[in-house]
Amino acid sequence: MFAEVATMSAFPHLRSLHHVNQCHYLSPPSHIYRSITTTTTKSRRRHPEPLVVDLPWVLNTSTPATTTIPLDDPSLQSTDPPPVLKRSTPVATTSMLNDPSLKSKWSHRAWVASGGTTVLVSLAKSVTGAVDSGTWLQPILAGVVGYVLADLGSGVYHWGIDNYGDENTPVFGSQIEAFQGHHKWPWIITRRQFANNLHALARAVSFTVLPMDLIFNDPVLHGFVSVCSGCIMFSQQFHAWAHTTKSKLHPLVVALQDAGVLVSRSMHGAHHRPPYDSNYCIVSGVWNELLDTYKVFEALEMVLFFKLGVKPRSWSEPSSNWTEETDTSSLIAEL
Amino acid sequence: MASIPLPTAKHSLPSLLHAQTPKTLLSQKLPNLPKSFQSQFCGVKLSHSSNFAVPSSFKKSSILAKVSKGSVAPSFSLKDQDGKTVSLSKFKGKPVVVYFYPADETPGCTKQACAFRDSYEKFKKAGAEVIGISGDDPSSHKAFAKKYRLPFTLLSDEGNKVRKDWGVPADLFGTLPGRQTYVLDKNGVVQLIYNNQFQPEKHIDETLKFLQSA
């Protein structure tokens, strides 16, 4: 990475020397920075190899680069050792942070607004119903149950998507691809803008909660629905916070993570370590210990294997598509 | 899954017991329910000296098992990972650990096989042989044995005939082939049966402990 700036200045005509084509749901970065957050336990690697020349992501967004220049081309070799540069810079880093695929679009914001509205309407119905009837305990308890079950639901969904299907699976294909990409580049989630991160869940919540808002008025039901759906919708935000370095988090978020109200950085970090088969829940993580101790997901995997003949991804050695990309510097994280 | 003692087990037992001769009965002593529920993966061990958890009703097949402690294990002839036919009678004269496992290349079975591999010398020192049996074909066993450098015999019980003959109970309402290990003495008589689906390494601990104390 340090060599790249030198190389760029030396060979400004060079376009992409290295193309990543594994995950095309977002503009594949032309180079990868090492994941930074608490999710990785891999030690930093030195960079004896020179030429990972990176380009601003913006240049690679629309079409895959097709030019591949052999890195061992003698004309590109320098007899001098790669310059050691200070980590102050990079052109590429800044542009990576500005990758359009991480930004929120108006459609994203619209879905988040609609999902949020359905949740708030449900919450309002619960509160007004509780006020009218004078009973608060049941709606509140229902809300607690919703919060607890949202965590379980997040784990089951996450387990399914992480282990089965691929980008061609109907309905879930894009999600599956996104999850695989997340495992390869876990830190990208911390660079997504808010609505960009949440819009897919917000859309699901909109479709699910709207009929309930229209049909039902029971405050207890809405106590459950509003909290459960709200937690599910915001689970991606909790997930992003679990990937963020502590120093960058608001103290309140850290406090909630430490208290176990939100999934903690360390707990979620364990999910991002091989064999990637534990700690699937990402709302509060309260179910993780139970599910992992009693091997619930392993049992489900065994049943699916014997009944349907399908093996989950976590049973195999992780492929390069899955393994976290650590061949990068930690610069992004520190910015 | 290993036994999950449930409150109803105690009530369902009497009807199941009628089918059995006394020596094949399990102890009727129930452990502390909350603790046993919590330790559902302690496994079920049938041997001379221990009291054990009463299995819940879905494990009644173990009570009706044809092979139980004290009985002579029925002989079988199955193909090993090299395609050679191996008979149980070949091992008469020395103790044998026969472990039934669900399938090659599944996480639990891999852990179990590797644990047997890592303790194989101890088994040999105790004079015992180890045999693994699953429904996979010989080529699957060959690949599995090669990948994990397993030094012992794996037999192909295609069609799960031997598993049924021996009465190895299934888990999770019949959806999963059970994980059960038998220790036969040098006369081919079953001295220990251990069942635990989700803590496969315990099979090694329990059988080794038994062999070393025998």
Side-chain angles (χ1 to χ4, degrees):
Chain A
M1 147 97 207
F2 304 131
E4 74 207 14
V5 176
T7 314
M8 284 286 282
S9 55
F11 305 99
H13 60 284
L14 288 176
R15 305 290 287 181
S16 173
L17 289 189
H18 187 67
H19 173 65
V20 174
N21 62 2
Q22 282 126 340
C23 190
H24 44 271
Y25 79 105
L26 51 73
S27 325
S30 56
H31 68 280
I32 310 298
Y33 290 104
R34 184 190 305 143
S35 169
I36 34 109
T37 65
T38 52
T39 56
T40 181
T41 55
K42 295 177 183 157
S43 55
R44 293 179 183 209
R45 286 171 50 178
R46 297 167 46 106
H47 278 278
E49 313 87 6
L51 305 170
V52 178
V53 174
D54 57 317
L55 285 187
W57 280 19
V58 288
L59 296 181
N60 280 343
T61 49
S62 48
T63 51
T66 52
T67 310
T68 305
I69 298 175
L71 297 180
D72 55 356
D73 183 333
S75 67
L76 302 179
Q77 301 303 324
S78 165
T79 51
D80 299 325
V84 176
L85 297 176
K86 296 291 177 199
R87 294 173 169 185
S88 47
T89 13
V91 172
T93 308
T94 314
S95 13
M96 197 160 102
L97 294 177
N98 292 325
D99 186 328
S101 74
L102 303 181
K103 292 183 181 307
S104 295
K105 298 183 195 164
W106 281 107
S107 60
H108 298 158
R109 294 186 183 107
W111 280 118
V112 171
S114 92
T117 304
T118 59
V119 171
L120 286 173
V121 165
S122 177
L123 185 65
K125 284 194 163 202
S126 182
V127 169
T128 52
V131 167
D132 289 345
S133 65
T135 52
W136 285 93
L137 183 62
Q138 284 170 310
I140 290 174
L141 282 178
V144 173
V145 171
Y147 162 73
V148 171
L149 289 184
D151 190 53
L152 178 63
S154 75
V156 174
Y157 184 72
H158 186 177
W159 163 78
I161 294 266
D162 263 5
N163 283 293
Y164 300 101
D166 57 29
E167 62 267 21
N168 300 313
T169 305
V171 179
F172 299 101
S174 60
Q175 279 269 283
I176 293 169
E177 201 177 17
F179 274 63
Q180 290 192 31
H182 174 64
H183 269 266
K184 197 165 169 73
W185 303 292
W187 54 271
I188 285 183
I189 193 175
T190 65
R191 299 302 172 180
R192 286 190 181 281
Q193 291 185 326
F194 177 72
N196 180 304
N197 202 14
L198 266 63
H199 77 278
L201 285 169
R203 186 166 54 220
V205 163
S206 303
F207 287 126
T208 316
V209 178
L210 179 64
M212 297 197 195
D213 284 343
L214 295 173
I215 298 169
F216 301 108
N217 291 312
D218 179 60
V220 176
L221 174 75
H222 277 293
F224 173 84
V225 167
S226 59
V227 176
C228 190
S229 59
C231 286
I232 286 176
M233 190 170 122
F234 279 87
S235 64
Q236 266 298 79
Q237 184 57 63
F238 306 153
H239 184 193
W241 284 336
H243 278 282
T244 308
T245 44
K246 186 175 175 179
S247 56
K248 293 208 172 96
L249 289 172
H250 190 281
L252 178 60
V253 173
V254 176
L256 290 172
Q257 288 178 336
D258 291 344
V261 175
L262 297 180
V263 67
S264 71
R265 299 177 310 283
S266 57
M267 179 183 276
H268 188 62
H271 172 69
H272 279 270
R273 288 194 285 275
Y276 310 100
D277 65 353
S278 67
N279 294 290
Y280 282 104
C281 301
I282 58 167
V283 170
S284 56
V286 69
W287 284 89
N288 279 329
E289 191 177 342
L290 187 93
L291 293 172
D292 292 342
T293 303
Y294 291 104
K295 314 241 172 123
V296 173
F297 289 123
E298 185 178 321
L300 287 174
E301 288 164 1
M302 290 286 275
V303 172
L304 287 177
F305 174 63
F306 281 101
K307 288 295 162 195
L308 302 177
V310 282
K311 281 188 180 177
R313 264 186 284 276
S314 62
W315 284 9
S316 321
E317 291 297 320
S319 67
S320 62
N321 278 359
W322 188 258
T323 319
E324 183 178 330
E325 176 59 66
T326 56
D327 205 10
T328 62
S329 77
S330 58
L331 200 59
I332 283 292
E334 292 163 15
L335 287 175
Chain B
M1 212 177 279
S3 65
I4 306 175
L6 297 173
T8 53
K10 196 173 182 180
H11 304 292
S12 61
L13 241 195
S15 56
L16 298 169
L17 294 180
H18 290 310
Q20 290 302 301
T21 55
K23 71 177 173 183
T24 58
L25 287 179
L26 303 172
S27 161
Q28 296 181 47
K29 281 198 184 169
L30 271 175
N32 252 341
L33 275 179
K35 195 176 165 190
S36 60
F37 187 79
Q38 206 176 26
S39 60
Q40 60 183 308
F41 298 106
C42 276
V44 176
K45 183 165 67 175
L46 305 179
S47 66
H48 269 305
S49 51
S50 62
N51 289 324
F52 23 69
V54 173
S56 58
S57 52
F58 69 75
K59 280 184 62 73
K60 62 184 174 195
S61 55
S62 68
I63 296 182
L64 302 168
K66 293 174 194 157
V67 175
S68 49
K69 205 204 61 57
S71 61
V72 176
S75 186
F76 54 72
S77 282
L78 296 174
K79 287 213 167 81
D80 72 3
Q81 60 262 47
D82 297 315
K84 280 192 341 239
T85 303
V86 171
S87 290
L88 183 62
S89 49
K90 165 184 163 183
F91 300 97
K92 209 155 191 171
K94 58 156 107 175
V96 191
V97 175
V98 179
Y99 81 94
F100 288 86
Y101 63 95
D104 296 335
E105 297 289 354
T106 57
C109 307
T110 302
K111 281 190 199 117
Q112 186 178 28
C114 292
F116 270 118
R117 172 199 67 198
D118 296 341
S119 292
Y120 189 58
E121 288 307 310
K122 293 183 190 159
F123 280 99
K124 296 226 85 160
K125 206 169 163 187
E129 192 48 75
V130 174
I131 301 174
I133 304 183
S134 80
D136 300 295
D137 61 34
S139 57
S140 168
H141 281 337
K142 195 177 174 73
F144 187 52
K146 187 174 175 191
K147 184 172 175 183
Y148 295 103
R149 298 170 287 111
L150 305 178
F152 45 84
T153 303
L154 295 177
L155 298 179
S156 295
D157 181 20
E158 291 187 87
N160 290 309
K161 188 176 173 304
V162 174
R163 181 181 276 270
K164 285 182 203 129
D165 281 348
W166 284 41
V168 178
D171 289 324
L172 290 184
F173 309 101
T175 52
L176 280 194
R179 190 188 302 283
Q180 182 149 295
T181 298
Y182 299 81
V183 177
L184 314 183
D185 65 17
K186 55 187 190 211
N187 301 315
V189 175
V190 176
Q191 295 299 340
L192 175 73
I193 302 177
Y194 185 73
N195 185 301
N196 193 326
Q197 177 67 250
F198 290 105
Q199 292 176 309
E201 292 102 333
K202 284 204 162 177
H203 287 249
I204 287 75
D205 299 334
E206 292 294 326
T207 50
L208 206 49
K209 196 165 73 183
F210 180 82
L211 285 167
Q212 286 170 342
S213 63

